[in-house]
Amino acid sequence: MRKDIMNMFRSKRLALLLAAGIGVAACAPVTVLNGITPSSSFDKTKNVVFGDGERDTLDIYRAEDPKAGAPVLMFVHGGSWDSGSKDMYKFLAEGFTREGYDIVLPNYRLYPEATFPNFLEDNAAAVAYTAKEFAGRPIVLMGHSAGAYNVLMLGLRDEFLAMEGVELCTSVAGIVSLAAPTGIVPLESERLIQIFPERFEGEDAALNNVSNPMPPLFLGHGESDTTVYPENSKALAEKVVARGGQATVEVYPGQSHTDVVKVLSRHFDGGTTLKADIVTFIDGLPKSGNFCR
């Protein structure tokens, strides 16, 4: 009981510290979280070049105690396609290497340098590098927000991976999407319309690309997400299942748009079942063969 109480107070102090950091700078909470995250569960290789662009670099976190037969994970960061960095997610990488998974975190081109589909092309190139680096092992694509949209589109439209020499259905075992915008409403922001001229009303919307076989999906969304509403994930899952594909959608009470990433840290993963659900999904995926349905 005493240990539980101490852990509760530690969690509250950390939450307050992260909240206080928001007033200092947007990245301050993540800096604090990464600063208190240990590095004992992984061996990190930083800024590996996978393409010709300035942001075409990735970090590889190899688990110190790897899980036998596990796929390699690739996590794509969010940031509205105009911000964000792989460097922000040590806490997430540690959360999964601690479970025995190797994980790759790539950067990709951002607006205004990039518009649709440039960031998908960069992510596909990162998948191709990962497939070569971890030859013979299936890949699970993961992403949050804009990054979740990116990995969904790689699964829904196999031409991006094909252009990099990667066969979707034999290389990607599954896709984990966290708080992805899928196109339930047209885009209205001037900046987003510049990034997506079709305003999520054409082939740029995930919901408008549910026609081909694809790997199994896990779509996690916070019930309290007012940035990207949970209906985005629900609508996509319904269309995938109606087509004959495999999609699981889970909506988590009390979780916001950023909470669904925060809880992948060792310091917050007891607050919801999301991380455990992701691990269960990954461990239940087939190890080889044709992953698409």
Side-chain angles (χ1 to χ4, degrees):
M1 177 67 72
R2 179 181 176 83
K3 183 177 180 181
D4 291 341
I5 293 174
M6 292 294 290
N7 288 336
M8 178 184 69
F9 278 113
R10 288 193 191 99
S11 296
K12 287 184 176 180
R13 285 200 300 270
L14 177 56
L16 289 171
L17 181 58
L18 293 175
I22 294 174
V24 178
C27 64
V30 173
T31 301
V32 172
L33 185 54
N34 284 335
I36 60 174
T37 297
S39 302
S40 57
S41 67
F42 59 79
D43 178 44
K44 180 180 180 182
T45 306
K46 187 175 176 63
N47 293 329
V48 178
V49 175
F50 67 84
D52 298 328
E54 183 178 352
R55 281 183 58 87
D56 287 345
T57 62
L58 54 82
D59 295 341
I60 302 174
Y61 294 78
R62 298 180 188 270
E64 286 287 344
D65 186 16
K67 179 182 291 188
V72 58
L73 314 182
M74 192 181 95
F75 176 82
V76 179
H77 71 78
S80 299
W81 302 279
D82 66 359
S83 62
S85 170
K86 62 181 175 56
D87 300 331
M88 299 170 62
Y89 294 95
K90 173 190 173 183
F91 72 89
L92 181 147
E94 192 273 343
F96 283 100
T97 55
R98 189 160 57 102
E99 300 286 343
Y101 301 103
D102 298 326
I103 184 166
V104 176
L105 277 67
N107 275 338
Y108 53 93
R109 283 175 290 173
L110 301 172
Y111 177 81
E113 179 187 359
T115 58
F116 176 85
N118 299 143
F119 28 80
L120 303 182
E121 296 163 351
D122 289 355
N123 286 165
V127 174
Y129 183 94
T130 301
K132 292 177 181 177
E133 182 70 17
F134 295 90
R137 291 175 60 184
I139 299 169
V140 172
L141 302 180
M142 301 175 59
H144 171 246
S145 193
Y149 165 88
N150 290 6
V151 298
L152 283 174
M153 290 295 282
L154 292 185
L156 290 163
R157 296 180 54 177
D158 63 359
E159 69 263 31
F160 295 107
L161 290 176
M163 286 188 294
E164 295 293 334
V166 177
E167 170 57 47
L168 169 69
C169 293
T170 57
S171 298
V172 178
I175 298 173
V176 176
S177 164
L178 302 175
T182 63
I184 60 169
V185 294
L187 300 176
E188 296 182 352
S189 159
E190 180 178 347
R191 178 185 53 77
L192 288 177
I193 293 172
Q194 290 174 353
I195 298 172
F196 296 95
E198 294 188 17
R199 301 181 58 190
F200 273 9
E201 295 183 298
E203 65 175 11
D204 56 349
L207 281 171
N208 294 338
N209 288 276
V210 185
S211 57
N212 298 319
M214 67 178 302
L217 299 183
F218 177 91
L219 299 109
H221 225 110
E223 185 180 49
S224 301
D225 190 341
T226 57
T227 302
V228 178
Y229 291 101
E231 284 72 22
N232 281 272
S233 289
K234 294 176 182 178
L236 182 62
E238 289 174 2
K239 289 194 72 171
V240 170
V241 171
R243 182 197 52 74
Q246 180 179 340
T248 300
V249 59
E250 296 288 351
V251 179
Y252 296 89
Q255 299 296 297
S256 70
H257 189 66
T258 56
D259 285 341
V260 294
V261 175
K262 181 185 74 175
V263 297
L264 302 181
S265 160
R266 65 159 55 215
H267 297 289
F268 294 99
D269 61 7
T272 177
T273 63
L274 174 56
K275 183 180 175 185
D277 293 343
I278 292 173
V279 170
T280 298
F281 169 77
I282 294 172
D283 288 349
L285 294 170
K287 308 298 183 186
S288 61
N290 187 331
F291 299 118
C292 292
R293 288 181 54 183

